[in-house]
Amino acid sequence: MNYYSDLKTFCLLVLAYAFTTACGGGTDAPPEGTGPPDTTALFTEKHRPQFHFSPKEKWTNDPNGMVYFDGEYHLFYQHYPDSTVWGPMHWGHAVSRDLVHWEHLPIALYPDSLGYIFSGSAVVDWKNTTGFGQDGSPPLVAMFTYHDPVAAEAGSDNHQSQAIAYSNDRGRTWTKYEGNPVIPNPGNIRDIRDPKVIWDDDSGQWIVVLAVGDHAEFWGSPDLKTWKKLSEFGKTLGAHGGVWECPDLFPMTVEGTGEKMWVLIINLNPGNPNGGSGTQYFVGQFDGQSFTPGSAFLPYVQKGNGVWIDYGKDNYAGVTWSDAPDGRRLLIGWMSNWQYANKVPTEAWRNAMTIPWSLTLNKTDEGYRLFPQPVKELQALRAATFTLDKTEIDASLGLTEQLGFSPRLSEMELEFSLPESATGSFGVELSNAKGESYRIGFNSATNQFFSDRTKAGDASFSEDFARQPSVAPRASKDRTLHMHLFFDVASAELFADKGATVMTEIFFPTEDFNQIRLFAEDGKAELLRGAVYQLKGIWQ
Ligand code: FRU
């Protein structure tokens, strides 16, 4: 985020005071009097996502520390338990056994005298390189950024450093390492944060990638405690519309070839082609020391250009799970944007995560590209199914009556034929009796997908929210166009052409969207087949 925004100034002035007076050093016990919140009225509030993770109450931003261990997917998250606006960061905590249903757990990491607990990652230390393990079981080790608000307020540029904590009880309680910080600020570097740790088998060491202002840095360690800087990447490559944040680095096997490539994810704020925060990535090689983009990738990341993982405005800070089973590469993002995250019209909580993705790396005409797909586990939420046969859409095809269920929580798979001569727009429209509507679809004239929330309800909280529809260039050249959509109460996620183009956006209708139709403008659209699934919520 932009730590110099008005909000930040406000937070730092008011909260740095509260922080210095209230935070003890080093312990991670909850302050007295804070128990788990009363859950009776939760998850039924207006705009509350029904199959996306959101905190029981109060603020969240980035997902953190995702690691799979002992049958559980851990999801920690940037959390301020005292307010619905950003403030002194903690790590909230939830676990899931199926990536669909989430159990909320007590806060895992509290701020202390070294600072707020900013974003980071977690790993299973299988070889007990840290020595933190007990009774032959490997510890979970989290690595995070300390952000010292007092030093920052005093004008220091040394206020961010990297630290670790460990758990020997499946992530339920955490002990901060007494030797923290393990990577002190190297000297007047304002932005150095969001450590993503991986074990690199080939070089036999831990690698951490850090976001450092306008570049990424790779550091290596034998034991997660002593670190040595290995290399830098990116000052002159990729998008640089804003500060680089929340990196990730992982190897992937290219679909169908068996070839091994490395993916480097870099979030940045601002810089999203549709405005605000966004996520770019690079594909290349990592040799245990430095990252080098592949030659086929280089032309796409010259002169400030980026390759984007999601063209919607509301998928930020996404990184992947460590130790995911079956060789899967699973990612989750924060379903918001720093342009307006502090102002969206929700009361009990603020912000949610995307649905989890499963990534594949495919070789396309443009070179290697990530193809995100919704995790298959989400299919367990399908309640009723409505199928659509081949049909021509002439202006409008209403579906509300036929479905027999509300599109409020739904999933759709639509296949269109795209004649060379096509010029019009087509897609799906959700609406309500108040005349509010949200549209997502494809414009044949511009060869772009679009997400249009300009008439979708409350947008008064920020001029940046619904200035214009967001657009995404179509990556696939196939004459059959595929749209896979997820609609929750306040969001839409589009996986087009099997993940070649992705868009995630939120919206805030003043009454639920319970009407749905397919539309075609400036020409007819050829639907080849379709399915609409009613989805169950995950909280009941
Ligand atoms: C990204 C970010 C991170 C930082 C965290 C603070 O959204 O700004 O760089 O660690 O949020 O909450």
Side-chain angles (χ1 to χ4, degrees), residues 439-509:
R439 283 181 168 206
I440 187 158
F442 181 68
N443 182 338
S444 315
T446 59
N447 198 37
Q448 287 173 328
F449 291 95
F450 60 88
S451 163
D452 184 354
R453 60 187 178 192
T454 57
K455 301 187 188 71
D458 190 356
S460 59
F461 52 89
S462 164
E463 283 182 358
D464 292 318
F465 185 71
R467 207 183 279 282
Q468 72 258 320
S470 296
V471 293
R474 184 171 186 229
S476 168
K477 296 186 180 66
D478 208 298
R479 298 323 302 175
T480 301
L481 180 146
H482 192 262
M483 291 175 56
H484 191 178
L485 289 152
F486 286 80
F487 297 120
D488 201 341
V489 175
S491 64
E493 281 149 298
L494 165 67
F495 301 84
D497 303 316
K498 311 230 175 316
T501 308
V502 177
M503 297 187 89
T504 303
E505 296 225 322
I506 54 175
F507 41 69
F508 299 96

Side-chain angles (χ1 to χ4, degrees), residues 1 3 61-62 78 86 89 118-119 193-194 245-246 316 338:
M1 74 179 292
Y3 298 105
N61 55 289
D62 314 354
Q78 289 286 277
W86 188 91
M89 286 292 109
F118 270 19
S119 288
R193 57 178 178 267
D194 308 339
E245 301 184 313
C246 300
Y316 191 58
W338 280 117

Side-chain angles (χ1 to χ4, degrees), residues 172-204:
R172 278 15 182 215
T173 59
W174 291 81
T175 306
K176 290 174 185 142
Y177 173 50
E178 72 275 5
N180 280 337
V182 291
I183 306 184
N185 192 294
N188 297 321
I189 303 196
R190 294 204 65 79
D191 297 296
I192 178 161
R193 57 178 178 267
D194 308 339
K196 176 70 188 294
V197 190
I198 59 165
W199 173 258
D200 179 34
D201 239 347
D202 291 342
S203 62

